[in-house]
Amino acid sequence: MGSYKTYRNLVTGGAGFLGSHLVDRLMEKGEEVICLDNYITGCKENINQWIGNSRFELIRHDVTVPIQLEVDRIWHLACPASPIHYQYNPIKTAKTSFLGTYNMLGMARRVGARLLLASTSEVYGDPEVHPQPETYKGSVNPIGIRSCYDEGKRIAETLCFDYLRMHSTEIRVIRIFNTYGPKMLPNDGRVVSNFIVQALRGEPLTIYGDGSQTRSFCYVDDLIEGMVRLMNGNHNGPINIGDPKEFTILELAEMIKERINPKLELIRKPLPSDDPMQRKPMIKLAQEELNWEPKVRLEEGLDPTIEWFRKIISRNS
Ligand code: NAD
Ligand code: UDP
């Protein structure tokens, strides 16, 4: 029988969209998991199935406040990710990124844990280089409405590499590009969930600007696979994980309409300031270092996502 080492894992933001998928993955592997969350954008239902399992613990806590836990691995995901949520209280978002990461790195150093930071493609801002390789240093507005998040994640990455240089703390930095899938909240505000929820309710789809801006959408299962490979491997990052297939927002709207109701209208809303015009990851490093690439095409990943929202909406109505 192969010897598989099980770890005691801390997942911050474990009740959120990505965090809860990661918790599922670790629990299914037979590992121990402490899920820490303040529920600002997460919900208990996402991790309900594990409550009562002896390998699972749930802690209501805010990462801006120090905490001491004996763990081997820290998956640091706590931070609101949707623009409407992180802009709701931008000072809190900046505190979560800086103080939260600082507290988790301090804990990692004290207990000798390996820490993975969930960073973002937003560190590239509104990119002038396309597609974006990890070596691109970004084009970020330091004083705009997205800055609390973009600059917050940039300083969080800085802290990780300074802990590595000063204290040899084991770090892993993943730059996540737009990810979608089941367990997103209906009021999440990001484009995939907005369009699906609007379409299921028979409402017009809200296109910000002229819809020519692009994004690349990664299915959640692929993303979690990349994250786990990074944590388990030797490359400390930063590393892009995302789907390199690029779509305009109008193309996405058409795909969702086609699946739910082709007759729906599109309505225009103003483009929020600093909204990046294009985004697409270069994933050569992930292919080489992690032997990773996305498997689920947007055409396939939309169906289970739509089914998830259909269930949630019919239950709530
Ligand atoms: P989410 O909002 O669904 O989850 C974030 C979780 O963190 C929530 O459960 C929330 O309650 C918790 N949280 C927030 N602030 C906290 C605090 N101060 N203390 C404790 N818990 C706190 O978002 P998500 O999509 O699951 O994103 C998870 C991580 O991945 C975030 O760090 C985000 O920046 C990063 N990321 C996500 C995407 C994406 O497309 N989903 C893209 C890039 C980066
Ligand atoms: N967007 C849109 N309609 C919506 C929500 C978002 O047109 O109802 C656009 C938004 O302006 C952006 C893109 O979709 O250009 C992706 O937005 P999201 O908030 O999902 O993520 P991010 O901008 O952080 O990549």
Side-chain angles (χ1 to χ4, degrees):
M1 208 165 79
S3 65
Y4 177 77
K5 178 163 172 32
T6 60
Y7 294 101
R8 184 177 293 182
N9 298 275
L10 170 64
V11 181
T12 76
F17 164 48
L18 297 182
S20 60
H21 281 275
L22 176 63
V23 167
D24 291 350
R25 167 78 183 243
L26 296 170
M27 288 298 293
E28 281 154 12
K29 281 266 179 209
E31 304 211 9
E32 286 182 38
V33 176
I34 302 175
C35 170
L36 181 157
D37 209 293
N38 69 351
Y39 303 113
I40 189 147
T41 54
C43 80
K44 253 189 204 160
E45 280 201 355
N46 280 344
I47 31 96
N48 237 353
Q49 61 166 320
W50 303 115
I51 295 172
N53 186 305
S54 58
R55 288 185 285 107
F56 182 77
E57 284 172 65
L58 191 54
I59 300 178
R60 178 187 282 267
H61 182 79
D62 190 311
V63 289
T64 60
V65 178
I67 187 169
Q68 183 80 23
L69 297 163
E70 296 297 326
V71 291
D72 308 303
R73 291 186 160 188
I74 302 170
W75 309 74
H76 181 39
L77 276 67
C79 184
S82 154
I84 54 162
H85 290 144
Y86 70 65
Q87 288 164 20
Y88 174 72
N89 185 343
I91 297 171
K92 176 73 189 194
T93 300
K95 277 177 75 177
T96 295
S97 286
F98 177 75
L99 281 179
T101 306
Y102 172 73
N103 287 331
M104 292 304 125
L105 281 163
M107 190 205 304
R109 180 188 172 202
R110 281 189 297 275
V111 303
R114 179 180 293 182
L115 178 142
L116 177 144
L117 170 70
S119 185
T120 169
S121 51
E122 286 286 313
V123 299
Y124 302 124
D126 191 1
E128 291 148 339
V129 169
H130 195 70
Q132 294 81 53
E134 289 82 353
T135 47
Y136 177 49
K137 295 193 175 68
S139 165
V140 177
N141 177 0
I143 57 167
I145 55 170
R146 292 176 90 101
S147 313
C148 58
Y149 183 75
D150 300 9
E151 297 289 18
K153 290 289 185 177
R154 285 167 71 97
I155 189 68
E157 286 198 11
T158 307
L159 276 172
C160 286
F161 283 90
D162 283 332
Y163 265 78
L164 169 67
R165 284 184 285 262
M166 284 189 72
H167 304 302
S168 303
T169 307
E170 279 196 68
I171 55 137
R172 301 286 183 266
V173 174
I174 176 174
R175 288 186 180 152
I176 303 171
F177 283 64
N178 298 62
T179 302
Y180 70 97
K183 293 202 193 185
M184 292 180 98
L185 292 178
N187 67 352
D188 179 273
R190 283 176 277 188
V191 67
V192 175
S193 46
N194 266 13
F195 285 176
I196 294 178
V197 170
Q198 289 162 347
L200 289 172
R201 290 184 175 144
E203 295 166 3
L205 275 52
T206 50
I207 307 286
Y208 299 167
D210 64 6
S212 65
Q213 68 272 35
T214 68
R215 294 294 188 272
S216 314
F217 300 98
C218 186
Y219 190 63
V220 62
D221 291 356
D222 282 333
L223 188 280
I224 297 297
E225 180 62 33
M227 192 183 271
V228 169
R229 285 185 190 207
L230 176 62
M231 180 62 116
N232 288 341
N234 295 320
H235 184 83
N236 54 20
I239 199 156
N240 291 339
I241 297 287
D243 192 320
K245 182 111 179 35
E246 189 180 8
F247 294 87
T248 67
I249 295 307
L250 273 179
E251 285 170 336
L252 175 73
E254 290 302 332
M255 287 172 74
I256 291 175
K257 269 176 59 179
E258 206 177 282
R259 282 167 173 72
I260 300 176
N261 179 355
K263 294 206 184 92
L264 288 171
E265 280 177 48
L266 305 179
I267 51 163
R268 295 279 163 88
K269 296 239 170 158
L271 187 69
S273 67
D274 289 333
D275 198 292
M277 276 315 293
Q278 51 182 3
R279 186 183 289 151
K280 163 181 163 143
M282 191 173 274
I283 61 162
K284 194 160 168 276
L285 198 57
Q287 286 165 327
E288 286 170 4
E289 293 290 337
L290 310 177
N291 192 23
W292 177 90
E293 57 183 23
K295 303 235 173 330
V296 183
R297 291 176 304 130
L298 183 57
E299 292 81 348
E300 297 164 318
L302 281 179
D303 295 334
T305 312
I306 291 170
E307 281 326 300
W308 159 264
F309 281 112
R310 209 187 285 282
K311 235 175 28 203
I312 297 292
I313 289 172
S314 67
R315 204 183 54 195
N316 294 346
S317 58

